Amino acid sequence: MSEMRISVVIPVYNEEANIQALMGRLLPVMESLAKPFEIILVDDGSRDRSLDLLKEFTSHPSVRVVELTRNYGQHAAIMAGFSVVRGDIVLTMDADLQNPPEEIPNMIRVMEEGEYDVVGTIRKSRKDSFLRILPSKMINVVARKITGVSMRDWGCMLRAYRRPVVERMLACHEQATFIPALATVFAKRVTEIEVEHEERFGGKSNYPLRKLINLQFDLVASFSDFPIKLIMYGGILMSLLGVCFGAFLAIARLVYGVRWAAEGIFTLFAILFVFVGLQFFALGVIGEYIGRIFREVRKRPEFVIERIYGRDGDRP
Ligand code: UDP
Ligand code: MG
């Protein structure tokens, strides 16, 4: 456990204004650690000069640049970086210097001292617009519900993972994923520490509302079948309401006579409600099966054995 190697994975998409400043701050921090380290910069199909600027840093022995064929999105880019890491502790961070690199030594210290699998971060005073913070709040609530892990800030990508957690995430081969949530599936000891947050150094955010909504969907759809359940329960509720309405009409008919309820038109409505409800229910049932197929094709491992103790037990 003595010499922990550190890897830092940074997704880069159109960050030409930030790369110089980022490396100018990150490299000294990494060198001060007195541990072997590598920095993996993943160019996520940038359309500006980012890739050229990144490549200039490869003259440094600890810097590697991964070029993707097109823009795959932040989480896929990080996964691509994960696929080539060599370190024992793997950190992720943004390229726009919103996450101060100076927090890295503290995160590594917390991880080693507490023997954590994942160290997340909470942005102490977030320097983003209200419109950017609100969707994040929603994502946090959803992520807490879905994963059952009570982390406070899921969106901050300054995070540290132990290598085995990274390997397990890679083994998932998921199309659309949300790395902080996926990591909790494979991590036992998880913690969060507070970090500073800064304004974006240069350029502008790559997360317009449209992408944030997509992220929310990725999170809900990849990690839960809540929407399917919603359809199903909605259908059951609608059917029950239809039945109640029908019963009410029948009683009213007995009490007030034939002329009540517009000569039976309302009765048709009641019947309609029951059937519409049943249709939704049927959709939900089909959805349940699709959900099962989805989980099957996703091939997320049902369990991962950490270690086997006892005679002839452990793997190499
Ligand atoms: N990013 C990426 N691919 C994308 C969008 C963003 O690799 O399609 C990177 C981006 O370069 C940055 C990080 O993901 O390093 C976070 O993006 P951004 O700062 O725009 O998001 P925000 O801080 O607004 O959440
Ligand atoms: Mg940012």
Side-chain angles (χ1 to χ4, degrees):
M1 280 281 252
S2 57
E3 269 291 60
M4 280 298 197
R5 289 166 303 167
I6 315 291
S7 299
V8 183
V9 175
I10 306 176
V12 177
Y13 180 54
N14 296 345
E15 304 278 11
E16 61 181 2
N18 300 321
I19 290 164
Q20 205 70 38
L22 169 75
M23 296 305 277
R25 276 172 66 182
L26 180 60
L27 277 170
V29 170
M30 296 312 290
E31 272 151 8
S32 74
L33 283 171
K35 287 183 198 296
F37 72 91
E38 62 175 357
I39 298 171
I40 295 166
L41 300 152
V42 185
D43 177 68
D44 187 17
S46 298
R47 289 161 203 275
D48 63 2
R49 287 169 44 245
S50 294
L51 181 62
D52 292 330
L53 291 175
L54 292 178
K55 280 200 245 168
E56 281 170 27
F57 284 94
T58 52
S59 55
H60 191 292
S62 306
V63 177
R64 284 192 286 161
V65 173
V66 176
E67 178 188 351
L68 298 184
T69 49
R70 63 167 167 86
N71 178 246
Y72 290 88
Q74 181 184 6
H75 292 260
I78 294 174
M79 281 294 191
F82 281 170
S83 71
V84 300
V85 288
R86 302 189 190 127
D88 306 299
I89 291 179
V90 182
L91 289 112
T92 58
M93 65 181 283
D94 289 352
D96 57 359
L97 282 171
Q98 288 197 283
N99 314 134
E102 291 76 18
E103 304 279 1
I104 289 177
N106 188 37
M107 293 175 66
I108 294 172
R109 193 183 52 77
V110 169
M111 179 164 247
E112 288 191 322
E113 285 176 5
E115 290 180 16
Y116 289 109
D117 298 320
V118 174
V119 177
T121 51
I122 305 165
R123 291 166 277 195
K124 234 186 284 179
S125 49
R126 223 181 132 177
K127 306 280 191 310
D128 277 315
S129 67
F130 169 74
L131 274 180
R132 180 66 190 75
I133 292 179
L134 188 71
S136 294
K137 287 223 159 94
M138 281 167 58
I139 288 177
N140 286 340
V141 173
V142 173
R144 267 198 296 270
K145 275 261 167 336
I146 286 173
T147 60
V149 176
S150 61
M151 281 204 170
R152 272 169 55 197
D153 190 350
W154 293 84
C156 187
M157 291 306 283
L158 179 61
R159 299 177 103 78
Y161 308 94
R162 273 196 202 266
R163 179 65 173 278
V165 175
V166 168
E167 297 293 337
R168 288 164 201 167
M169 286 196 274
L170 277 174
C172 287
H173 296 292
E174 295 193 15
Q175 280 293 320
T177 197
F178 188 78
I179 290 172
L182 185 60
T184 61
V185 177
F186 303 113
K188 188 156 51 179
R189 293 178 53 80
V190 173
T191 191
E192 258 181 326
I193 58 171
E194 290 204 329
V195 293
E196 297 294 335
H197 192 238
E198 291 170 18
E199 301 263 2
R200 201 169 219 288
F201 184 81
K204 58 177 180 14
S205 171
N206 290 305
Y207 271 100
L209 197 58
R210 176 181 57 81
K211 271 199 193 170
L212 285 169
I213 292 172
N214 277 341
L215 197 65
Q216 186 94 3
F217 268 116
D218 281 354
L219 186 59
V220 175
S222 304
F223 288 89
S224 84
D225 41 20
F226 176 70
I228 296 172
K229 293 253 152 60
L230 207 64
I231 293 177
M232 208 152 86
Y233 293 140
I236 294 174
L237 191 73
M238 217 184 281
S239 277
L240 283 179
L241 283 177
V243 171
C244 292
F245 190 39
F248 166 74
L249 287 178
I251 293 167
R253 161 76 174 71
L254 291 177
V255 177
Y256 298 107
V258 207
R259 288 192 48 77
W260 201 82
E263 325 257 52
I265 300 281
F266 280 10
T267 315
L268 274 181
F269 272 114
I271 294 168
L272 193 68
F273 269 133
V274 174
F275 281 107
V276 170
L278 284 178
Q279 264 172 21
F280 272 97
F281 178 73
L283 260 184
V285 172
I286 293 170
E288 275 292 325
Y289 283 97
I290 294 177
R292 262 149 245 262
I293 296 169
F294 170 58
R295 275 194 289 275
E296 202 63 42
V297 292
R298 195 170 54 181
K299 292 238 182 317
R300 220 183 258 179
E302 280 161 84
F303 55 81
V304 181
I305 296 177
E306 176 81 53
R307 168 171 283 170
I308 299 170
Y309 299 91
R311 203 169 150 257
D312 301 332
D314 216 338
R315 291 172 300 179

